[in-house]
Amino acid sequence: MNDSNTFDAIVIGAGMTGGWAAKEFCDNGLKTLLLERGRDVKHIKDYPTTNMLPWEFKHRGRIPIEVAEENPVISRCYAYREDAMHFFVKDTEHPYGQPKPFDWIRGYQVGGRSIMWARQTQRWSNFDFEGPARDGFAVDWPIRYEDLDPWYSYVEKFVGISGNRDGVDTLPDGEFLKAWDLNCVEQHFQKVVQENYKDRHVIYARCAHITENKEIFQKQGRGLCQGRRICQRGCPFGGYFNANSSLIPWAEKTGNLTLRPDSVVHSIIFDDKTGKASGVRIVDRLTKETSEYFAKIIFVNAGTLNSNLILLNSISDRFPEGLGNDHGLLGKYVAFHNYRARISAEHPGHKDFAPEGGRPTSAYVPRFRNVYKQETDFLRGYACTFGAYRSLHTDNDGHGQTLAEHLLQKKEYGPWGVGSGMMGETIPKESNFVRLDKDKTDEWGIPMLNISIDYDENDEKMIHDFFEQYSDMYKKAGLTNIRTSDSKQAPGLDIHEMGGIRMGHDSKTSMLNKWHQVHSCPNVFVTDGACMTSVSTQNPSLTFMAMTARAANYAIEQLKKDAI
Amino acid sequence: MHKGNQMNRRQAIQQLTIMGLGLTLYPSCNTEKIPQYSRVPLDAKRYKLLQEVSEAILPVDHITYVTPEPRSQYILTILNDCTSTEEVTNFLTGLESLQQYLTGVKMSDLDKLSNDDLDKIFDYMADSKGQDENLYKFYRTTKNLATQHFTGCEKFMIEELKFEFVPGRYIGCKEV
Ligand SMILES: Cc1cc2nc3c(=O)[nH]c(=O)nc-3n(C[C@H](O)[C@H](O)[C@H](O)COP(=O)(O)OP(=O)(O)OC[C@H]3O[C@@H](n4cnc5c(N)ncnc54)[C@H](O)[C@@H]3O)c2cc1C
Ligand code: SF4
């Protein structure tokens, strides 16, 4: 150990959760090492396509077929297109085992997946935190909404969340910036649902975009969102939240941050004498050289499944099966969101209206199934998006001069289209797990991850119910040409994988305590999606960030008291 | 205007000047090399035919509707880089069918034909479904890609489709 490789805190992973941990530590004077396996991505400078116009792309957005064929998993992600493909991990570069099909969508770089995320940010409520205990699955959460409420506010104020105060029990209100409009068809659906269903609400989908100028955003150098809806390329205005435009430069400004990109964390080093972790072992991505770094606390924020991998690979005499894994629970009870079901239709009304301009969100219907009591033959429920759109129609009939004339004729609007995607809660199960491959290692000598995760009967029943309920709701709204579809997509494509290092009250049945500390190695904290005991229906990243900020501030307090 | 557009406007003006002088700038009659696309190999004759068909199927003024690349280049790039082997094979077989048909009806030089004659050829291709499936697929693919190329150009998107890169506002219900 020497000064150059010893820090107060080490954070593994420079995505939005690692970014939050680093920011909190640096703000509080902790010398912090932020380790990131991928390359550095600087805000604006490293967004090569951000100002490219649609016609400037050689393939007008398409992915070359050779790339798609070699990388079938990532090519299934809707955002993996010509404009942002450089931010995604190719299957060929980082293979993993799939005893059961699982689409693992990753972004290895400073900023992680915060660069390409869809920025939907909904709080959890106690209907979510109390779910496992009430419905008898997984283990009881050791925290409740009240523990997280102030941290949601703390994070929201910094991030910038646009939303309405809707007063819905299942989706608590937060610190919102003004919302964009719902368009007339979304408002129509909202009204019909309100008139017909007591406990169903159509609201504006809250999202991480700046819609009001505030000092806190000026301090970050971020400005108003201009509604371009190409955020996955990185935004030159900093209009949406990613770690690169906010958390990381903020932490750097304190002078307390050492950011080390190209540093693949191999494992956490456990010190038998102190009974704590002493540091981490890394392999340089480019030179393949190994080195060690030391700190009093270690935050694991490598993104759910990679955090599982790191703990599984952190083997010592004390923990031969992986750090904190005295009971064989590590890597188990992984769950995700069921995104298979969609419904779409046409709206025959509002013919004289169309939306104008752009907004980066749509409407949202919070969970209404099994909320106050169990009412169906499946557990839990689903939230749902609702979006209505209308665009100018070109007449492509004919050929030659006729086709040219048709295309240049005055454009008419096509019919209103509407669509909803289900976001179903899945139940964490022991049989849904990740483990290390015994034989295969990657380029950096790290065991490959095998992912074995599947749907179950509960998910099938939920899809069926979603089709029934939404078909009814759509019919009541007078929508026509209603079509349902089950994509049968593999788990993972929802990009909301969670669990494997779950929280709980009891060290015998969980990996982490209520402050996210590994029960048996308390200076290691896991605060990304790996810590989730259950998954609820809401887009999870806001919750991951609030949890990280809360745990980081707890760790800082404990450090100050010399209690870690 | 961005660099790509400047280049292409220049190219288009050059093309127009040459055509005004009664010359046609095609690879078969000058020393310009035919662009090579490994998955869509074309000799000079087929390349010229594709250039002519892709322009004639949707004739537009390229000086007004500037595109970053000539239409045949766009079509070949998409076929070469983004299209399945089966679709490429269908396309090439269809192009061959067209070549044979044109030789049969003695109409090899499309750029010398009247609009009526061109329409007849396109009608024949459009009606070939069920008879010469590949010719029909060639027609569909060429028409679709030519249409995409045109409707995706700057002027069409902005003026016809009301595209805005930085709208800065969202009005949910605007009377139209
Ligand atoms: C297209 C898309 C749309 C999405 N939409 C939404 C949405 O609307 N709402 C929502 O809530 N969520 C959304 N998500 C999910 C969201 O992006 C993730 O939940 C969130 O980014 C997780 O943050 P993280 O910091 O925990 O992980 P990541 O962003 O994955 O960051 C982890 C970082 O750790 C690094 N790392 C991994 N292993 C190692 C190692 N061994 N050593 C060092 N570094 C390592 C990675 O390179 C990465 O940079 C979306 C994701 C995608 C891709
Ligand atoms: S929608 Fe807003 S945040 Fe996204 S790229 Fe456009 S301006 Fe930036």
Side-chain angles (χ1 to χ4, degrees):
Chain A
M1 278 193 220
N2 58 44
D3 277 357
S4 68
N5 65 5
T6 303
F7 296 83
D8 295 320
I10 291 176
V11 179
I12 305 172
M16 65 173 90
T17 61
W20 264 103
K23 173 192 169 291
E24 294 307 301
F25 294 147
C26 290
D27 272 347
N28 284 279
L30 268 59
K31 292 291 174 199
T32 304
L33 175 64
L34 178 56
L35 293 168
E36 167 54 49
R37 70 173 300 152
R39 68 192 167 101
D40 196 4
V41 171
K42 290 275 180 255
H43 181 49
I44 304 179
K45 178 178 153 287
D46 293 323
Y47 303 155
T49 57
T50 186
N51 283 323
M52 280 177 71
L53 294 153
W55 47 87
E56 292 177 332
F57 288 93
K58 186 175 172 194
H59 303 109
R60 305 297 194 270
R62 294 175 179 84
I63 294 291
I65 191 149
E66 207 179 320
V67 177
E69 281 173 0
E70 278 179 6
N71 301 280
V73 168
I74 193 63
S75 298
R76 284 194 278 272
C77 174
Y78 74 92
Y80 187 69
R81 304 261 301 151
E82 192 176 21
D83 64 345
M85 59 190 292
H86 45 280
F87 290 135
F88 289 87
V89 165
K90 286 191 180 153
D91 313 2
T92 44
E93 288 167 1
H94 297 281
Y96 59 96
Q98 298 181 62
K100 293 176 182 168
F102 184 89
D103 291 342
W104 193 11
I105 309 299
R106 296 162 286 170
Y108 289 172
Q109 63 243 326
V110 169
R113 291 177 287 186
S114 75
I115 300 176
M116 315 85 87
W117 72 315
R119 311 155 312 276
Q120 295 295 301
T121 36
Q122 332 294 340
R123 288 186 178 202
W124 277 37
S125 73
N126 271 339
F127 294 106
D128 306 306
F129 287 108
E130 287 168 4
R134 189 194 84 174
D135 291 342
F137 64 94
V139 288
D140 184 25
W141 276 91
I143 56 171
R144 289 291 183 265
Y145 178 70
E146 291 68 29
D147 296 301
L148 222 48
D149 179 17
W151 296 102
Y152 274 129
S153 293
Y154 182 74
V155 165
E156 285 163 346
K157 282 182 195 157
F158 187 86
V159 163
I161 308 287
S162 145
N164 287 320
R165 298 187 68 79
D166 300 295
V168 175
D169 285 0
T170 44
L171 211 70
D173 291 329
E175 310 291 331
F176 297 142
L177 307 171
K178 71 177 183 218
W180 276 277
D181 284 353
L182 290 184
N183 64 44
C184 26
V185 177
E186 291 160 354
Q187 285 175 28
H188 161 72
F189 189 62
Q190 183 179 50
K191 188 161 164 277
V192 170
V193 170
Q194 197 174 11
E195 283 165 3
N196 286 277
Y197 304 90
K198 190 165 58 68
D199 297 328
R200 301 186 190 186
H201 309 275
V202 179
I203 63 166
Y204 169 87
R206 301 153 187 181
C207 60
H209 286 259
I210 298 179
T211 55
E212 288 173 43
N213 278 314
K214 297 225 157 147
E215 200 188 337
I216 185 68
F217 307 132
Q218 279 161 17
K219 279 192 187 159
Q220 296 172 47
R222 298 171 56 209
L224 292 181
C225 168
Q226 302 294 324
R228 304 192 316 162
R229 291 162 298 157
I230 45 173
C231 318
Q232 67 281 0
R233 303 180 188 176
C235 177
F237 314 105
Y240 80 99
F241 166 84
N242 68 19
N244 314 63
S245 62
S246 57
L247 301 169
I248 293 169
W250 182 284
E252 274 172 332
K253 266 191 228 150
T254 63
N256 292 324
L257 184 74
T258 303
L259 171 63
R260 197 182 194 289
D262 302 315
S263 305
V264 185
V265 171
H266 174 280
S267 50
I268 295 169
I269 306 164
F270 183 76
D271 183 346
D272 276 320
K273 285 195 215 97
T274 59
K276 288 193 276 192
S278 58
V280 301
R281 204 168 283 120
I282 70 148
V283 184
D284 189 287
R285 179 172 74 91
L286 305 169
T287 64
K288 310 270 160 60
E289 270 171 36
T290 306
S291 41
E292 293 182 349
Y293 292 93
F294 304 95
K296 293 171 204 144
I297 45 174
I298 295 164
F299 264 59
V300 187
N301 296 95
T304 303
L305 298 187
N306 274 314
S307 291
N308 275 273
L309 195 164
I310 292 170
L311 258 58
L312 284 163
N313 200 37
S314 300
I315 291 163
S316 57
D317 289 344
R318 165 71 184 85
F319 294 115
E321 301 300 328
L323 190 85
N325 194 14
D326 287 330
H327 31 40
L329 283 171
L330 175 58
K332 294 179 180 165
Y333 296 94
V334 178
F336 55 98
H337 283 158
N338 179 353
Y339 270 31
R340 272 171 39 190
R342 271 198 70 76
I343 182 163
S344 58
E346 282 174 18
H347 173 61
H350 293 93
K351 285 204 173 79
D352 297 335
F353 297 92
E356 188 187 278
R359 71 177 174 182
T361 191
S362 60
Y364 181 94
V365 186
R367 172 163 82 98
F368 52 77
R369 271 306 201 204
N370 303 322
V371 173
Y372 300 99
K373 60 177 191 325
Q374 182 63 35
E375 59 192 359
T376 66
D377 64 348
F378 59 87
L379 287 181
R380 315 304 295 160
Y382 44 83
C384 189
T385 56
F386 181 83
Y389 47 88
R390 193 177 192 199
S391 52
L392 287 167
H393 204 66
T394 55
D395 178 354
N396 298 9
D397 269 357
H399 37 239
Q401 206 57 48
T402 317
L403 175 59
E405 279 160 20
H406 281 167
L407 288 171
L408 289 168
Q409 269 167 12
K410 188 177 175 315
K411 307 285 165 299
E412 301 286 334
Y413 275 95
W416 281 93
V418 303
S420 299
M422 179 182 105
M423 300 179 279
E425 176 164 354
T426 68
I427 307 296
K429 296 183 296 279
E430 193 173 7
S431 55
N432 278 347
F433 62 86
V434 297
R435 65 161 65 122
L436 300 185
D437 195 295
K438 288 200 176 69
D439 306 313
K440 294 190 193 128
T441 54
D442 67 12
E443 239 184 286
W444 299 271
I446 297 171
M448 208 173 78
L449 197 66
N450 279 332
I451 306 177
S452 189
I453 293 172
D454 213 344
Y455 296 98
D456 63 16
E457 210 191 323
N458 201 61
D459 302 319
E460 303 298 333
K461 286 181 179 164
M462 201 183 278
I463 290 173
H464 186 72
D465 187 70
F466 166 81
F467 287 150
E468 270 182 11
Q469 297 305 313
Y470 271 79
S471 295
D472 275 357
M473 287 156 75
Y474 271 33
K475 277 183 205 147
K476 287 201 169 82
L479 303 177
T480 55
N481 196 12
I482 298 172
R483 299 170 302 269
T484 57
S485 65
D486 177 353
S487 69
K488 304 269 182 202
Q489 68 190 43
L493 205 52
D494 44 291
I495 329 180
H496 291 169
E497 62 279 3
M498 287 175 254
I501 314 179
R502 73 180 178 195
M503 295 170 79
H505 301 279
D506 186 347
S507 63
K508 290 193 197 68
T509 57
S510 62
M511 287 286 300
L512 308 174
N513 69 13
K514 66 175 179 176
W515 297 108
H516 298 252
Q517 295 166 284
V518 174
H519 286 298
S520 46
C521 185
N523 67 335
V524 173
F525 294 72
V526 181
T527 68
D528 62 11
C531 73
M532 303 297 279
T533 307
S534 65
V535 302
S536 180
T537 57
Q538 291 87 313
N539 316 71
S541 308
L542 178 71
T543 300
F544 302 165
M545 291 193 277
M547 286 174 160
T548 304
R550 173 177 174 268
N553 280 277
Y554 173 79
I556 293 161
E557 266 173 35
Q558 297 302 301
L559 261 188
K560 283 185 186 152
K561 288 192 224 154
D562 240 348
I564 291 190
Chain B
M1 191 194 293
H2 59 95
K3 211 171 154 201
N5 273 359
Q6 272 168 356
M7 292 265 300
N8 283 290
R9 195 179 285 265
R10 222 178 296 131
Q11 280 169 358
I13 290 168
Q14 186 191 27
Q15 180 90 359
L16 196 82
T17 317
I18 292 166
M19 283 159 80
L21 292 170
L23 302 170
T24 321
L25 187 67
Y26 285 128
S28 55
C29 51
N30 68 22
T31 51
E32 196 185 313
K33 277 181 88 185
I34 307 163
Q36 292 301 307
Y37 294 89
S38 58
R39 294 178 67 234
V40 198
L42 294 180
D43 60 14
K45 195 170 163 192
R46 280 26 173 227
Y47 180 66
K48 174 175 175 286
L49 179 60
L50 176 64
Q51 280 186 313
E52 290 172 348
V53 176
S54 63
E55 290 298 335
I57 205 162
L58 173 52
V60 295
D61 170 5
H62 289 298
I63 305 293
T64 312
Y65 291 98
V66 178
T67 51
E69 67 288 271
R71 187 173 294 159
S72 55
Q73 185 183 323
Y74 173 74
I75 292 179
L76 286 165
T77 303
I78 298 297
L79 282 169
N80 190 69
D81 297 355
C82 306
T83 312
S84 72
T85 306
E86 193 192 339
E87 283 171 89
V88 172
T89 309
N90 292 339
F91 181 87
L92 288 173
T93 320
L95 179 65
E96 202 51 45
S97 267
L98 177 64
Q99 181 76 61
Q100 279 168 19
Y101 170 73
L102 293 175
T103 312
V105 294
K106 302 200 173 29
M107 287 181 168
S108 295
D109 256 343
L110 289 200
D111 56 337
K112 297 211 178 79
L113 297 182
S114 67
N115 282 345
D116 280 354
D117 283 341
L118 285 171
D119 270 347
K120 275 183 206 142
I121 294 170
F122 289 129
D123 286 345
Y124 172 76
M125 291 164 77
D127 291 343
S128 60
K129 190 167 168 42
Q131 290 158 37
D132 184 345
E133 231 13 82
N134 286 322
L135 180 62
Y136 178 70
K137 283 179 185 156
F138 169 80
Y139 165 79
R140 298 285 331 158
T141 305
T142 309
K143 179 182 156 176
N144 287 346
L145 290 175
T147 307
Q148 277 170 26
H149 187 235
F150 173 54
T151 56
C153 81
E154 180 171 7
K155 186 174 166 69
F156 191 94
M157 282 192 74
I158 292 172
E159 289 181 7
E160 304 288 331
L161 299 177
K162 310 292 170 224
F163 168 76
E164 291 177 83
F165 192 52
V166 186
R169 71 191 185 296
Y170 180 78
I171 303 164
C173 296
K174 184 93 195 278
E175 209 162 333
V176 290

